[in-house]
Amino acid sequence: MTNKQYPINEALLKDDLYQAVNGEWLQHAVIPADKPTTGGFADLADNIEKTLMADFQAMLDGKDIPDDPYLQEFIKYYRKAANFDEREALGFAPAQKFLDRILDLKDLQDWQEALPELTMSGYPTPFPMSVDPDMKDTAHYALYAEAPHLILPDKTYYTDEKKDQADQLLAIYQNMVRKLFSLAGYSADFAEDHLQRALAFDAALAPHEKDSTERADYTKMYNKYTPAEFAQTSSAIDLVAYAQRLVGTTVDQVIVTEPNYYAALNQLVTPATFAQIQSWIVVKMLIAMAPYLTDEMRVTSSEYGRALSGSKEAKKPQKAAYYLATNQFDQVVGLYYGHKYFGPQAKADVHHMVEKMVAVYKQRLENNDWLSAATRKQAVVKLNTLGINVGYPDELDPLYTKFSVDESASLLDNDHEFTKIILKDHYGRLTKPVDRTRWGMPAHMVNAYYNPSFNIIVFPAAILQAPFYSLDQPASANYGGIGAVIAHEISHAFDNNGAKFDEYGNMNNWWTDADLKHFQELAEKMIKQFDGLTTPAGKVNGKLVVSENIADAGGLSCALQAAKEDGSADLRAFFINWARIWCMKSSLERQKLLLAIDVHSPHELRANIQVKNLDDFYQTFNVQPGDGMYLPASERVNIW
C-alpha cells in the first residue's frame, strides 16, 4: 500500500500539509505485525526485502547459481541460517563453550589476562575500544575508548522522571533473560543470581554516561589522553597494555569519548565488582547468541527489542534467517542489488543530479548575505572538495574475500569465526593508511549519509526510487524528494556539527568569530522552533534534533531553488512530494523511543515545520494568518 492510492485533502493544505497529503493513507495503512512501522522509507525497504528474498530463495533452491564467489559464500551462510532442523537438533550446545569461557573465570586478574582474546572474539567489555580516523588528523587512524551500551535505551530512563516506563521495560527484559537461561538448561536460581548482578552493574554505569542529547554534539567526543593519563583511569586493569595487545602495536594516544565515565572507572571496575561484571558479560552474550540457536531462543531473545519498538510479533523463521545472513554479508548483498537493480547508467544519472545540487548549493553560499568573505571562501572550498558516492561501491571491501563458510560447523561457530576476522581487520587498521573508499552502508539500505571525517556524501541505490526519485514523476516532485535528501546530506557539512570540520574532514575552526557567533544564534533559533512541540508520544527535545533540522532546512531550501530554476517548475508538486516522503505510520512505543534517542525530528514535523520557513510555500498554497500552516515572518528560520 502506498499513499499514492489516496487523493489529497485540498481543504487541509493550509492547515496541515502532512495530513492533507497523507491523512487518508494513514487511516487505511496497517503496520506489519513483525515491524514497528510502515510507509515512506519502510515501504521501500519492504519491497527490497521481498525482491531479494525471492532472488536468494531461487539460489538456495539451485534454480539460479551465482557466478560471484563471494555471493556463493553468502548463499552457503544463508543456507546454514535457514536450516532450522539443524539448529533445533543442536539446541544450546554451540553456545555452551562461549558462556563457559566467562563462567570459568576466577577473578579480575584471570579476566584481565583473557581480555584481548575475549574482545577479539566479540565479548563485551565495560571499556569498549574502536579504531577510527583521528578527528583532528583524518589521514591517520586513532584508538578511541568509549562507554558501553546500557540496557535501557538512554541514561534518562534511569531517572525518576521515566521510572514507570523503565520499570515496565526492565520487567520485560528480566522475563526474557530468565526464559533464555531456562531454555539453555540453567536453573532458576542460577539465572536469577546472574540476572540481578548484571542489572546492578548496568545501573551503576548509567549515572556516569552521556545521554543522547550530549552524544549528539559529537565533536565533544574528542578528548585526547596520553598513555599515562589513560592508564590512570583504572588501577584494576592495565588499560594501556590491553589496548596495545588489541591493536598489536604501541599506542601513543587514546581518544576518550566520555571523560566522566572514565573518571568513574576506578569505582566501577574493581575486584569487588568482578562478579557483577562477569554476570553482565554472561547475560549480554546469552542474548547475543540466541538468534543463532533454536527458533524458540531466537524469538525469545527479541522480546525486549519488540517491546521497545512496538512490533507485535517476531519475524517468521525464513525472514529472520534472511536478515541474519544479509547483515553478515551486507556489502556483498549490496553490490548484487546495486548491479542488478540499479546499474551503471542510473548511477551516472543520479551522480549528475548530485553534482547539480552541489552547484546550486555553491551558488547559495557565494550569495550568502551573512557570512564574511573569509568564511564564505572556506565554505566554498569545503563544498568543492566534497566527495560523492552514488549507488554502490566500485569494488567489494577486501574484508569479504576472507569470509569462508564451514558447512560442517554450526551457524554460531561460523559467526564466531567471521567476528574474529572482522575485529582483527578493525583493530589492525591503526597503523595503516585511512581507507576513504569504505562505505558505511550497503547499496540495498534505504538511507543516505554525510561523513564529516571524510567530507563525503553517500546515496545507496535503494533510496533512489519513488517517491524519492522516478522518471515518471514531475521534475519538481523529484526535487522535493531525492533533491531535498541530496541537499540535506550536503547541508550536514554545514550543520552545527559538520561546520566544525574542514575540507579534509579534520576538526578545525575555519570560521571568523563573528560568523560563528551568528551561526550559533541561528542554530539556537532552530532549537527553539522545535523544542517542546507536542506529539502523541511526548514533547520534542530541540537540542537533540538540531543538527538534522539544520540539514532539513538547508536541504529543502536548496532543492526549492533547483526546482524553481528548472524550466517546468511546479512548486505544488515539490511541496506535496516533500510531505509524501515523510509519510509513516509507527507504533506509539517506537515513537516514544525515537523521541528519547533519535537525532531526527518526528516525521510529521519534518514535513510541516520546515516548509513554514519558506516564503514560496505561502505563495504556492495562499497560506494566510490564521491558517494552521502560517508562521509569522519574524519566527521563520533560514540558515542556508
Side-chain angles (χ1 to χ4, degrees), residues 303-357:
E303 287 179 359
Y304 181 62
R306 282 184 276 126
L308 285 173
S309 71
S311 298
K312 293 182 175 64
E313 62 183 43
K315 290 181 174 64
K316 295 289 188 275
Q318 190 67 37
K319 189 182 287 189
Y322 161 81
Y323 277 105
L324 191 150
T326 53
N327 286 343
Q328 187 67 267
F329 283 80
D330 62 349
Q331 294 291 355
V332 173
V333 171
L335 276 185
Y336 167 81
Y337 174 83
H339 285 291
K340 182 169 183 179
Y341 294 104
F342 192 62
Q345 182 177 350
K347 184 173 181 174
D349 287 345
V350 177
H351 198 284
H352 178 69
M353 187 174 185
V354 177
E355 289 174 333
K356 183 175 181 180
M357 295 306 299

Side-chain angles (χ1 to χ4, degrees), residues 42-192:
D43 279 356
L44 297 187
D46 289 348
N47 291 335
I48 291 168
E49 171 194 283
K50 290 173 187 173
T51 298
L52 291 181
M53 282 189 74
D55 285 4
F56 297 148
Q57 188 60 50
M59 295 179 192
L60 287 175
D61 295 340
K63 297 174 184 174
D64 182 9
I65 310 298
D67 296 328
D68 181 0
Y70 312 116
L71 199 58
Q72 290 171 8
E73 289 301 314
F74 159 71
I75 293 300
K76 288 181 190 175
Y77 188 75
Y78 190 8
R79 185 173 285 111
K80 294 292 294 185
N83 190 341
F84 304 105
D85 291 341
E86 178 184 78
R87 291 169 61 171
E88 202 66 36
L90 290 171
F92 187 71
Q96 190 68 62
K97 59 182 175 291
F98 297 113
L99 276 198
D100 287 346
R101 183 72 182 88
I102 300 301
L103 293 168
D104 290 343
L105 294 172
K106 299 178 185 64
D107 51 30
L108 197 71
Q109 183 62 36
D110 201 16
W111 176 52
Q112 177 170 225
E113 290 174 5
L115 257 174
E117 168 225 328
L118 292 172
T119 303
M120 296 297 275
S121 292
Y123 288 83
T125 78
F127 29 81
M129 297 187 185
S130 66
V131 174
D132 290 293
D134 185 323
M135 290 167 69
K136 289 192 174 181
D137 178 16
T138 55
H140 299 93
Y141 285 112
L143 182 66
Y144 288 76
E146 301 159 347
H149 292 297
L150 299 169
I151 291 172
L152 292 171
D154 182 72
K155 174 182 179 174
T156 56
Y157 281 72
Y158 294 78
T159 62
D160 290 341
E161 184 182 343
K162 291 191 176 181
K163 187 178 187 306
D164 290 345
Q165 196 175 350
D167 287 346
Q168 291 173 9
L169 288 172
L170 284 175
I172 294 167
Y173 182 87
Q174 291 180 77
N175 188 49
M176 176 188 75
V177 173
R178 290 182 187 114
K179 285 196 281 186
L180 286 175
F181 270 122
S182 177
L183 290 169
Y186 292 98
S187 71
D189 287 345
F190 178 94
E192 200 62 28

